[in-house]
């Protein structure tokens, strides 16, 4: 029996949810400029722009190792403001039969107590074997880049 599991995290936003979503939708390659200590390169290797069906190659520092991974963009929903990526080549497939990341931006509106805008990252995975840890390290990376993109738009 195949067991797919998932983990998720929310990151509160100070900046505009539309700007943050627009960044991940249209300017994903700019992560190299915002996080030069993490990303060496981000290249579109298949498809048109960063749209559904495209494949993106990431070269980045992941813990103590430099990784090259290809992720396909499976779904882009501009109305609901979410994007689903799936690992299709590289190190993640040594540990996982399936590894998907869903990035979504939620515009929770304003209240007197707090703003309700946030990003939510959900990582869905199927381990290659029982000895593999859950992909918590990917969530940590996604939190880092969400906070950095939010800070960029909050300050500009």
């Amino acid at each position: 029996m195949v067991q797919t599991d998932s983990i998720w995290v929310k990151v509160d936003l100070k900046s505009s949810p539309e700007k943050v979503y627009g960044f991940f939708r249209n300017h994903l390659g700019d992560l190299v400029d915002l996080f030069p200590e993490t990303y060496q390169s981000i290249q579109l290797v298949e498809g048109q722009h960063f749209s559904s069906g495209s494949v993106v190659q990431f070269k980045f520092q992941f813990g103590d190792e430099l990784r090259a991974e290809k992720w396909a963009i499976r779904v882009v929903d501009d109305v609901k403001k979410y994007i689903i990526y799936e690992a299709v080549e590289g190190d993640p497939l040594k540990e996982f039969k399936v590894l998907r990341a869903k990035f979504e931006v939620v515009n929770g509106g304003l209240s007197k107590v707090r703003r309700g805008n946030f990003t939510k990252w959900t990582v869905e995975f199927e381990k290659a074997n029982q000895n593999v840890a859950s992909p918590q390290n990917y969530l940590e990376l996604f939190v880092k880049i969400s906070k950095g993109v939010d800070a960029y738009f909050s300050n500009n």
Side-chain angles (χ1 to χ4, degrees):
M1 185 167 125
V2 174
Q3 174 148 357
T4 302
D5 206 349
S6 65
I7 54 177
W8 60 274
V9 66
K10 286 173 37 175
V11 178
D12 290 331
L13 294 176
K14 296 175 186 158
S15 63
S16 158
E18 290 75 18
K19 286 183 179 180
V20 172
Y21 176 75
F23 179 89
F24 284 93
R25 172 70 171 92
N26 300 308
H27 302 285
L28 191 62
D30 292 345
L31 288 173
V32 173
D33 297 326
L34 286 178
F35 301 96
E37 73 287 353
T38 301
Y39 289 98
Q40 188 177 43
S41 69
I42 299 173
Q43 294 182 310
L44 186 65
V45 293
E46 286 180 34
Q48 304 230 341
H49 204 46
F50 294 107
S51 58
S52 186
S54 297
V55 176
V56 181
Q57 180 169 306
F58 297 87
K59 289 186 181 175
F60 63 105
Q61 193 67 37
F62 199 60
D64 293 336
E65 62 183 309
L66 183 63
R67 286 197 170 185
E69 301 179 0
K70 288 185 182 176
W71 288 70
I73 299 174
R74 295 294 187 211
V75 178
V76 175
D77 188 323
D78 290 333
V79 174
K80 295 181 181 176
K81 292 186 177 60
Y82 72 84
I83 303 168
I84 298 175
Y85 306 90
E86 183 173 354
V88 294
E89 189 178 301
D91 291 324
L93 299 180
K94 294 175 186 172
E95 299 174 323
F96 302 97
K97 294 178 184 178
V98 174
L99 184 63
R100 288 186 200 99
K102 180 180 182 183
F103 162 78
E104 62 186 305
V105 176
V106 177
N107 185 343
L110 298 174
S111 70
K112 291 182 179 181
V113 179
R114 61 186 278 269
R115 295 176 68 176
N117 302 330
F118 59 89
T119 62
K120 180 180 178 187
W121 286 92
T122 304
V123 177
E124 183 180 321
F125 59 96
E126 181 185 336
K127 295 178 180 180
N129 63 63
Q130 292 303 318
N131 298 325
V132 174
S134 70
Q136 187 67 34
N137 47 2
Y138 280 93
L139 276 186
E140 292 168 9
L141 174 63
F142 299 151
V143 166
K144 174 185 173 180
I145 63 176
S146 289
K147 286 181 176 181
V149 169
D150 183 44
Y152 172 79
F153 285 118
S154 293
N155 295 327
N156 292 310

